[in-house]
Amino acid sequence: MSLFSVPKKLSFLDFKHLLLVDLNSSGLFFYLAKDVKDLASIDFSNLTLLKAVSTNEACKSNLLADDKVFAKLLDVNLKSFDLDHYAMVFLVAHDFSQLEKKFIKEAVPFLVKNLFVGRHFFYNFYLMQKRNFSKVKFIISLFDDCAELSLFDQDKLLASDRVFLRNLALESKDFYNSAKEKFAFDNPDCFYFFTNNLAKKPKAGDLAKYLKLEAVEVKELC
């Protein structure tokens, strides 16, 4: 599955904007793509962070932990944005369940269309548009209680996983070596370190030394 196949599902809908909700254990991060009708047309230079809601109540390890807390947070913030004619795109963990998606859909306002996209696909899309330094992209996305790992060959997903922070260095290296053994790709010069969902940005120096790859940090998507 590639991100670029997703917009076809939205192409026939009557809306003017995309409201993206990055839902994870660090909180809810609302982005507006104004005058955009499909994901592939997003220009990250024009993407706007409407609000960063920091909370560890809605999700744990990037999976939905309290649907009532989530529903309340969504309702309050959508009313404050006062948007018309928009579709919602939820950026979620790769292993988000159908039950979790059901709870979220029930919280979305009536007649507002919604779609779920793996966060790793969207972040890779960002890299291909903004920081396309390497054909093979090793992505480490950091959150309050976990990290998501993914490996792409351009827009093709090779592998993905979610790990605890206490094992980040070891798990990241094992993940990378296992994928390299399976897919036999050329070594990239760097790994991409997403800290955009954290209020306090950690340093990637020690992890870079351990992985023997340069760290390219992404502190914000827009």
Side-chain angles (χ1 to χ4, degrees):
M1 177 184 175
S2 164
L3 173 65
F4 303 106
S5 65
V6 172
K8 294 177 183 177
K9 299 179 182 179
L10 287 176
S11 59
F12 64 91
L13 302 176
D14 182 23
F15 58 85
K16 295 180 179 178
H17 320 295
L18 294 182
L19 179 64
L20 293 89
V21 184
D22 198 332
L23 177 61
N24 56 72
S25 52
S26 296
L28 284 75
F29 299 79
F30 296 88
Y31 296 89
L32 178 63
K34 194 173 182 179
D35 300 320
V36 172
K37 289 200 171 189
D38 61 80
L39 288 170
S41 298
I42 288 177
D43 179 353
F44 285 90
S45 299
N46 295 325
L47 192 68
T48 302
L49 177 61
L50 292 181
K51 191 171 184 180
V53 181
S54 297
T55 177
N56 59 5
E57 293 185 81
C59 291
K60 301 291 184 185
S61 296
N62 290 351
L63 299 178
L64 194 63
D66 194 321
D67 55 299
K68 293 182 176 61
V69 168
F70 165 77
K72 183 177 180 180
L73 287 170
L74 187 66
D75 181 60
V76 169
N77 285 285
L78 289 182
K79 287 178 179 176
S80 70
F81 299 149
D82 193 27
L83 293 173
D84 291 321
H85 305 294
Y86 65 95
M88 298 188 69
V89 180
F90 290 96
L91 307 179
V92 297
H94 71 280
D95 51 352
F96 222 63
S97 71
Q98 291 301 316
L99 183 58
E100 288 169 299
K101 293 177 182 179
K102 177 179 179 292
F103 286 140
I104 289 175
K105 286 182 177 181
E106 290 174 351
V108 173
F110 181 62
L111 292 182
V112 173
K113 301 298 181 179
N114 59 82
L115 178 71
F116 295 91
V117 173
R119 182 170 25 250
H120 50 327
F121 283 106
F122 191 75
Y123 285 10
N124 183 63
F125 178 40
Y126 166 89
L127 293 175
M128 292 184 68
Q129 184 178 131
K130 299 284 286 186
R131 302 193 180 188
N132 198 15
F133 302 140
S134 175
K135 181 175 182 291
V136 174
K137 294 176 176 59
F138 179 23
I139 302 172
I140 300 177
S141 303
L142 209 61
F143 307 92
D144 280 344
D145 60 5
C146 68
E148 291 179 354
L149 314 178
S150 56
L151 193 72
F152 285 85
D153 183 346
Q154 292 292 65
D155 66 341
K156 180 182 178 182
L157 176 66
L158 301 179
S160 62
D161 200 2
R162 179 161 40 92
V163 300
F164 293 113
L165 294 182
R166 65 175 180 270
N167 299 325
L168 180 59
L170 181 61
E171 295 272 18
S172 297
K173 191 169 186 176
D174 286 349
F175 170 84
Y176 178 82
N177 288 339
S178 176
K180 184 169 177 56
E181 182 178 337
K182 182 176 181 180
F183 297 104
F185 50 81
D186 293 333
N187 284 331
D189 296 324
C190 66
F191 70 94
Y192 297 93
F193 195 52
F194 280 79
T195 60
N196 53 301
N197 290 317
L198 294 175
K200 184 178 180 180
K201 311 298 183 185
K203 295 181 179 180
D206 291 341
L207 185 57
K209 290 178 182 178
Y210 187 77
L211 295 174
K212 297 180 180 179
L213 295 170
E214 178 185 352
V216 176
E217 185 175 0
V218 180
K219 296 181 179 180
E220 54 188 21
L221 297 181
C222 53

